[in-house]
Amino acid sequence: MSGLEQQEVFKRYLTALRARVGDAKYKSWFVDLGLADINNDCVTLSTGSEAKRVMLDDRFHPVMAEIWRKEIGPVRKLSLTVMKNNLAAHAARVDAQEEQRVVSQVPTTEAAQNSTASAVVAARGGKGSATFEDLATPLDPRRTFGVFAVDGSNRIAWAAAHEALAEGRPKELIYFYGPSGVGKTHLLQSIAHEWSRNGQRGSAGYVTYNNLINACVSAVWSNSTPALHKAILNNDFIAFDDIHFLSGKNRTQEELLIVIDAALDSGKQVVIAGELPPAKLAEAGINQRIADRLAGGICAPIHPGDEPLRLSVLKKRVEQSPAACSVSDEALEFIARTFTQSTRETIGALNQLLLMYGAEETVVDLEEAKAVLKSRLEDRRRVATIDDAIAAGAEAFGLTMDDLLGRAQPQRIVRSRHAVVWCAREVLKESFPRIGKALKRDHTTVMSSYRRAQALIERDKTFQDGVRRIREALEG
């Protein structure tokens, strides 16, 4: 997509965004929104300050992503960044510069090289190279260890994060990996906060993939890559986020590899985060040597958390929130149970609730939470399937999919099957033969299960609660 085409697409997006949020909110929050990067199925938008980026990310991110999908097309990830003045002029040219390897195009004579470098420096406001302040992303004060919930899905990563802070041991390269929204960025910034808290450890720096790309392009244009390396290596702790987005950015990857090797050789702590395990990075277009370095360090997977983890995250967030309101346990449980796509989505739903009631000294109950989150629920609603009912039944009764689909007959498993059958029939309006096929049972067994479910609903409160949770998951 050419630069002109990108701008036309972005204008269309802004028009739809303004229509959705209204003029007042648009003028308050979105008037300086910019298009930083479109890379395959990922989009990066920019805003003018870190405070505004945090606000947009917390309160409007789901709406912004949904509008992009509806008006422009599919996108796997929409992220926000702060566009630094020094780097903004280069953002639109990043892809072309990476592919063309700008260095190879600089004239060969010394006079011509000096002339070109001078022109580039002038274009960058007279600065010979970006400082680390231009490159680094400020830390979010809310992303600390104190509000990070731990369970089996992220316990390895939690231990690795504390290993990075251990005194008196050799520093190993640490790599967190897992899907979007599971807490990788939170852990990176938590380590950086803790590292900086102890002044004897030295300085800490956190760098996003977008700022790293822009800084590398700027350094190449101004013939100042050694200065860029030095600026990064002046820190004793260095964190690089979303490394998988460097796919195809070959020059940036080469500079990153140089920095990683130099940092490790000098005993500095390097922590990196990405979505893919090391073995998959090379397949996705990441330098094989970088993948090898990560594989040789501490690799810490983070998996999507279950409902108890999401609930724990919400409770920690409410405890740390300056909002005047409080949120009932029933409302928090509803959010944790309903917004399951990622922990980020769960937090976003809570933030929407706090936005509405944050200034009031009140307790937000379940019905008020459902009313506030109605539009968010409608935005994410899709057609549920029998497989969704089975998955919801497994979570509601603390079982696995294999338990429900297997031949075991303990009472708690049998009752969970009854609940799934009842919801598939009453909520999804599925036929008994289709339900039986999904559960690997014949339709007469399913019909008997449905009748038993009807009887249990009348007298068993635990069964009623399980059915309610399945219904909420399906009706989303």
Side-chain angles (χ1 to χ4, degrees):
M1 187 183 296
S2 68
L4 183 60
E5 290 173 329
Q6 289 184 10
Q7 290 306 312
E8 290 300 320
V9 164
F10 189 57
K11 286 180 182 177
R12 192 163 82 245
Y13 173 71
L14 291 179
T15 300
L17 180 63
R18 187 166 193 159
R20 177 69 173 272
V21 303
D23 285 343
K25 286 185 180 178
Y26 184 88
K27 290 177 181 178
S28 297
W29 298 107
F30 301 99
V31 71
D32 65 344
L33 196 67
L35 178 63
D37 189 31
I38 298 180
N39 179 21
N40 298 326
D41 58 349
C42 299
V43 175
T44 302
L45 304 180
S46 66
T47 189
S49 70
E50 176 63 15
K52 188 173 286 189
R53 184 199 68 78
V54 170
M55 186 68 70
L56 292 178
D57 208 27
D58 282 349
R59 298 185 178 180
F60 298 103
H61 185 276
V63 172
M64 294 170 69
E66 181 63 24
I67 292 173
W68 187 281
R69 294 186 182 101
K70 286 183 177 179
E71 299 295 330
I72 309 303
V75 60
R76 182 171 60 84
K77 182 174 183 179
L78 185 145
S79 57
L80 289 155
T81 187
V82 178
M83 187 57 67
K84 305 290 185 179
N85 292 335
N86 292 18
L87 304 177
H90 301 298
R93 296 184 296 231
V94 167
D95 288 339
Q97 291 162 350
E98 284 285 349
E99 294 169 1
Q100 295 170 7
R101 300 298 186 86
V102 176
V103 172
S104 65
Q105 298 183 7
V106 176
T108 55
T109 66
E110 183 176 356
Q113 289 176 342
N114 290 339
S115 175
T116 301
S118 298
V120 172
V121 171
R124 300 176 66 250
K127 295 182 73 174
S129 62
T131 65
F132 190 75
E133 287 69 28
D134 298 321
L135 169 64
T137 298
L139 300 177
D140 184 340
R142 297 167 303 176
R143 285 174 166 162
T144 64
F145 285 128
V147 294
F148 189 87
V150 183
D151 73 352
S153 68
N154 56 23
R155 199 173 304 280
I156 295 175
W158 175 261
H162 285 79
E163 178 66 22
L165 297 164
E167 300 283 1
R169 291 204 287 271
K171 297 302 181 185
E172 297 281 355
L173 176 61
I174 296 175
Y175 179 51
F176 299 123
Y177 66 91
S180 176
V182 294
K184 301 185 298 295
T185 296
H186 192 141
L187 275 183
L188 289 185
Q189 295 202 16
S190 295
I191 302 170
H193 276 303
E194 193 64 29
W195 189 284
S196 301
R197 202 184 321 277
N198 182 343
Q200 297 180 348
R201 286 197 177 103
S203 58
Y206 166 74
V207 182
T208 63
Y209 78 95
N210 196 52
N211 279 5
L212 181 62
I213 293 171
N214 290 342
C216 285
V217 170
S218 297
V220 169
W221 269 59
S222 59
N223 197 28
S224 60
T225 52
L228 175 63
H229 301 162
K230 183 177 180 181
I232 296 174
L233 292 169
N234 277 339
N235 293 279
D236 298 284
F237 170 81
I238 312 164
F240 297 102
D241 207 353
D242 286 333
I243 188 178
H244 52 284
F245 286 130
L246 299 182
S247 175
K249 312 297 184 186
N250 297 326
R251 183 56 188 266
T252 300
Q253 292 184 42
E254 291 173 5
E255 303 303 332
L256 175 61
L257 182 64
I258 292 172
V259 168
I260 290 174
D261 286 344
L264 295 176
D265 288 344
S266 57
K268 300 179 184 297
Q269 181 65 67
V270 180
V271 182
I272 296 176
E275 289 191 355
L276 301 173
K280 298 291 185 181
L281 283 173
E283 298 175 13
I286 299 298
N287 189 307
Q288 180 65 58
R289 291 178 295 167
I290 293 179
D292 290 342
R293 299 294 191 283
L294 297 176
I298 297 175
C299 295
I302 308 180
H303 305 288
D306 56 12
E307 183 180 325
L309 178 72
R310 295 192 295 271
L311 181 59
S312 178
V313 169
L314 292 175
K315 289 182 176 180
K316 287 176 178 288
R317 285 273 172 165
V318 171
E319 289 172 1
Q320 297 291 325
S321 172
C325 70
S326 58
V327 184
S328 71
D329 288 343
E330 291 80 7
L332 292 178
E333 289 166 2
F334 168 74
I335 294 173
R337 185 167 60 248
T338 305
F339 297 95
T340 61
Q341 183 174 339
S342 68
T343 306
R344 183 178 289 119
E345 184 195 33
T346 311
I347 294 171
L350 173 64
N351 288 337
Q352 187 170 332
L353 207 61
L354 297 178
L355 176 65
M356 289 297 298
Y357 291 100
E360 303 177 25
E361 293 185 359
T362 185
V363 178
V364 183
D365 63 22
L366 176 59
E367 293 307 313
E368 289 170 323
K370 287 182 176 180
V372 170
L373 298 172
K374 181 179 179 181
S375 61
R376 183 183 284 259
L377 290 168
E378 291 174 348
D379 288 341
R380 72 189 295 275
R381 184 169 288 139
R382 62 182 179 82
V383 177
T385 67
I386 302 175
D387 288 339
D388 293 325
I390 297 171
E395 182 164 357
F397 287 89
L399 303 170
T400 67
M401 295 278 283
D402 289 340
D403 290 333
L404 288 177
L405 299 176
R407 310 310 300 182
Q409 297 295 321
Q411 187 180 59
R412 67 189 187 95
I413 296 179
V414 172
R415 287 193 170 196
S416 66
R417 291 193 195 113
H418 295 339
V420 170
V421 168
W422 190 92
C423 290
R425 181 67 174 174
E426 294 296 324
V427 179
L428 303 181
K429 308 302 181 184
E430 289 285 0
S431 68
F432 288 127
R434 283 176 55 82
I435 298 170
K437 183 177 180 180
L439 284 170
K440 301 179 181 179
R441 262 80 179 165
D442 60 67
H443 75 281
T444 56
T445 300
V446 171
M447 292 173 66
S448 175
S449 182
Y450 174 75
R451 289 192 295 270
R452 294 184 182 185
Q454 288 180 309
L456 286 168
I457 286 176
E458 297 296 327
R459 66 173 190 270
D460 192 310
K461 291 184 178 181
T462 301
F463 188 80
Q464 291 171 3
D465 183 62
V467 168
R468 174 183 59 80
R469 295 175 66 173
I470 298 172
R471 291 195 67 150
E472 288 180 349
L474 296 178
E475 294 173 346

